[in-house]
Amino acid sequence: MLNASDISTFILLGFSAQVEKNMVYFILYLVIYTVSLIANVLIILAVSIHPPLHTPMYFFLVNLSVTDLGSISVTIPKAMINAFLSSREISYSGCVAQVFSLLFFAMSDFFLLTGMAYDRYIAICDPLHYEITMGRKTCFQLAATAWIGALLYSTLHTCGTFAINFCSNVLNDFFCDVSQLLKISCDNSYLIEVGFILFSIAGIGFPCFGFIIVSYVKIFKSVFRIPTLQRQNKAFSTCIPHLIVVSLFVSTASVNLLKPPSFSLSSVEIAITVLYSVVPSLINPIVYTMRNKEIQVALCNMFKSTITSRNQS
């Protein structure tokens, strides 16, 4: 039986002992991280410098991009270092920081997606009162609630996870994951943490997801009542990206929960791990960029102004 004072490092089996394989992982992580970094930063810049995008919907989109940047920056840089150096170690404090940060950004993401559903509901179902209901103060309050709620959740969850005793310091992943940490516990105290996870799903996950579902049922009812097809398409164009992102978040989170508890990682399980921990941060900005003409216009204007200023200089 081991506790915090007995463990200085954790061993991550998600990395191969073969240098060639680790180089492949390094290149893969580098490409994913670079694309995600550029895509999310471009969205943040486009919304920030383009006045027509200073609306509640894009305010939440910027917050979502920040959480995506945070979540992918927690795991990928360390994974790149380990792959490049053919190392499998992460310090105890580094593991704690990863768990806390991943939970914080994941819950912030979920709460922000719930707030975005409320924003779309008001915009489509009660457009006459939209500017009053979704004023600047309301937007900041919703965002602050998401960040503070995620901070409290991640603090409690992290403390509960690292309060248990461990029988080993070997994790079957390429980063510190709560599910893997619970698998190496060797006393019944981990049941408290499992109970907290189940309570979180029932007390937070289902209500938030249920709110999103109910909101979109009402949104679609309102959209189908719109007489003109052009206005229907415009309403759908603002909702479809959000629905895709929510579906991706829920599906990848479900994959994480249902991942088989085998001891040795297979290539399929590594792919599943990458799917739920990395892909959403990469796909989210692409979905919003491809499906949103206003974002595309803002990006084009930003590039044109950049090229013009360089030519003038």
Side-chain angles (χ1 to χ4, degrees):
M1 183 179 293
L2 304 173
N3 54 34
S5 61
D6 299 319
I7 297 178
S8 59
T9 60
F10 286 97
I11 306 301
L12 304 172
L13 296 185
F15 298 97
S16 173
Q18 301 177 11
V19 177
E20 294 80 6
K21 279 190 176 182
N22 284 333
M23 286 299 101
V24 173
Y25 292 153
F26 173 79
I27 295 171
L28 176 63
Y29 296 146
L30 179 61
V31 170
I32 291 175
Y33 187 65
T34 302
V35 173
S36 178
L37 185 67
I38 293 173
N40 282 291
V41 168
L42 284 177
I43 285 182
I44 294 172
L45 290 176
V47 174
S48 300
I49 67 178
H50 196 59
L53 299 184
H54 294 175
T55 62
M57 182 176 73
Y58 295 105
F59 169 78
F60 287 114
L61 181 57
V62 167
N63 278 266
L64 195 66
S65 293
V66 172
T67 63
D68 288 337
L69 280 174
S71 61
I72 201 169
S73 297
V74 170
T75 56
I76 294 300
K78 176 60 178 174
M80 288 169 57
I81 293 172
N82 279 10
F84 186 77
L85 298 177
S86 292
S87 171
R88 290 182 168 186
E89 294 186 354
I90 183 172
S91 66
Y92 183 90
S93 59
C95 189
V96 174
Q98 273 197 349
V99 169
F100 174 83
S101 300
L102 281 171
L103 291 171
F104 174 69
F105 288 116
M107 291 308 298
S108 298
D109 206 333
F110 193 34
F111 290 148
L112 287 169
L113 289 173
T114 306
M116 292 173 77
Y118 177 71
D119 171 70
R120 292 299 82 207
Y121 167 75
I122 298 297
I124 295 175
C125 298
D126 193 14
L128 297 179
H129 298 91
Y130 180 71
E131 291 186 2
I132 298 175
T133 305
M134 295 301 298
R136 179 174 295 184
K137 182 179 179 181
T138 301
C139 291
F140 277 106
Q141 286 177 340
L142 288 173
T145 301
W147 290 104
I148 294 172
L151 178 63
L152 294 174
Y153 175 84
S154 57
T155 300
L156 291 173
H157 203 349
T158 304
C159 290
T161 299
F162 288 94
I164 64 179
N165 293 306
F166 301 112
C167 291
S168 171
N169 66 336
V170 179
L171 300 175
N172 297 323
D173 223 323
F174 70 92
F175 65 94
C176 286
D177 186 36
V178 172
S179 62
Q180 295 297 330
L181 287 166
L182 293 180
K183 289 173 187 176
I184 61 173
S185 64
C186 53
D187 59 14
N188 292 329
S189 60
Y190 83 97
L191 293 175
I192 299 176
E193 183 61 14
V194 172
F196 181 75
I197 295 173
L198 295 176
F199 173 79
S200 300
I201 295 173
I204 299 176
F206 287 155
C208 288
F209 185 63
F211 178 83
I212 294 173
I213 295 297
V214 171
S215 297
Y216 270 100
V217 169
K218 294 184 178 181
I219 286 172
F220 286 136
K221 286 183 179 179
S222 297
V223 169
F224 287 127
R225 293 194 193 105
I226 297 176
T228 61
L229 184 61
Q230 184 178 2
R231 291 181 63 191
Q232 282 187 358
N233 291 335
K234 184 178 180 180
F236 277 126
S237 67
T238 63
C239 294
I240 295 301
H242 180 254
L243 270 178
I244 294 173
V245 172
V246 170
S247 301
L248 184 64
F249 181 92
V250 173
S251 60
T252 52
S254 301
V255 166
N256 181 24
L257 292 174
L258 299 175
K259 190 172 63 172
S262 60
F263 182 78
S264 59
L265 276 181
S266 65
S267 298
V268 174
E269 288 174 295
I270 292 175
I272 291 174
T273 301
V274 173
L275 175 68
Y276 80 81
S277 62
V278 174
V279 170
S281 300
L282 175 65
I283 298 298
N284 290 355
I286 296 175
V287 169
Y288 274 103
T289 303
M290 291 179 62
R291 296 285 307 184
N292 194 302
K293 291 183 179 179
E294 292 178 322
I295 288 286
Q296 293 173 6
V297 170
L299 289 173
C300 289
N301 291 338
M302 185 174 65
F303 289 133
K304 287 179 182 179
S305 62
T306 302
I307 294 172
T308 302
S309 62
R310 284 185 176 181
N311 291 337
Q312 290 176 350
S313 61

